[in-house]
């Protein structure tokens, strides 16, 4: 599983370019409206209804992880919009615990500028979730914050 901060709608692009493996990102359901919704589904994105606990999205992500596939998640649940790394929701650590998966933390740094380099993705060491999920969630957030700070 990949888990990190979320700064821009384009964030999945640099991550998808960092590996030959398909990454199944959890993404808000509202971006799946036609015509781009067909493209997003074809890319393996998982629509999430953010109005409550979306058990279907969670179950789909867990299924991918149990099958050895990569799931990408932004535990903040929304973009930072200049506020720094926001508090993490519990989904990433719960999924990792349930599937015995490791989390590869990452931080997206920089600005998206047309036709220029400006975005960097820093990856951390694999993180194994402990028994205390609240503590693991906060540790994961701190790792991402440190990656972002450099």
């Amino acid at each position: 599983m990949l888990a990190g901060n979320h700064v821009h709608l384009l964030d999945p692009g640099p991550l998808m370019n960092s590996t030959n493996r398909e990454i199944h990102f959890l993404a808000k359901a509202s971006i799946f409206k036609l015509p781009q919704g067909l493209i997003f589904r074809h890319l393996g994105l998982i629509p999430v209804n953010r109005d409550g606990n979306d058990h279907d999205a969670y179950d789909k992500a867990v299924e991918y992880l149990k099958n050895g596939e990569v799931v990408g998640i932004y535990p903040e649940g929304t973009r930072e919009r200049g506020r720094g790394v926001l508090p993490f929701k519990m989904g990433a650590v719960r999924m990792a615990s349930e599937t015995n998966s490791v989390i590869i933390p990452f931080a997206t740094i920089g600005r998206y500028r047309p036709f220029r380099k400006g975005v960097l993705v820093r990856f951390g060491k694999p993180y194994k979730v402990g028994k205390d999920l609240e503590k693991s969630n906060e540790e994961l957030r701190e790792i991402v914050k440190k990656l972002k700070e450099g």
Side-chain angles (χ1 to χ4, degrees), residues 51-78:
D51 294 336
N53 291 331
D54 188 337
H55 298 290
D56 291 339
Y58 182 91
D59 292 345
K60 186 67 172 173
V62 165
E63 179 184 329
Y64 280 133
L65 290 169
K66 286 181 176 178
N67 290 330
E69 298 186 55
V70 180
V71 170
I73 187 168
Y74 299 102
E76 295 164 298
T78 191

Side-chain angles (χ1 to χ4, degrees), residues 59-128:
D59 292 345
K60 186 67 172 173
V62 165
E63 179 184 329
Y64 280 133
L65 290 169
K66 286 181 176 178
N67 290 330
E69 298 186 55
V70 180
V71 170
I73 187 168
Y74 299 102
E76 295 164 298
T78 191
R79 287 175 278 162
E80 295 176 3
R81 300 184 195 270
R83 298 172 284 184
V85 178
L86 301 172
F88 280 12
K89 297 179 187 266
M90 296 293 293
V93 294
R94 280 193 185 116
M95 282 187 267
S97 177
E98 184 176 333
T99 62
N100 199 30
S101 299
V102 296
I103 298 174
I104 306 297
F106 67 87
T108 303
I109 303 141
R111 291 183 35 202
Y112 290 88
R113 300 179 303 179
F115 310 111
R116 296 186 197 157
K117 293 182 181 180
V119 175
L120 171 70
V121 179
R122 283 193 188 118
F123 293 94
K125 295 177 183 175
Y127 178 75
K128 187 73 172 160

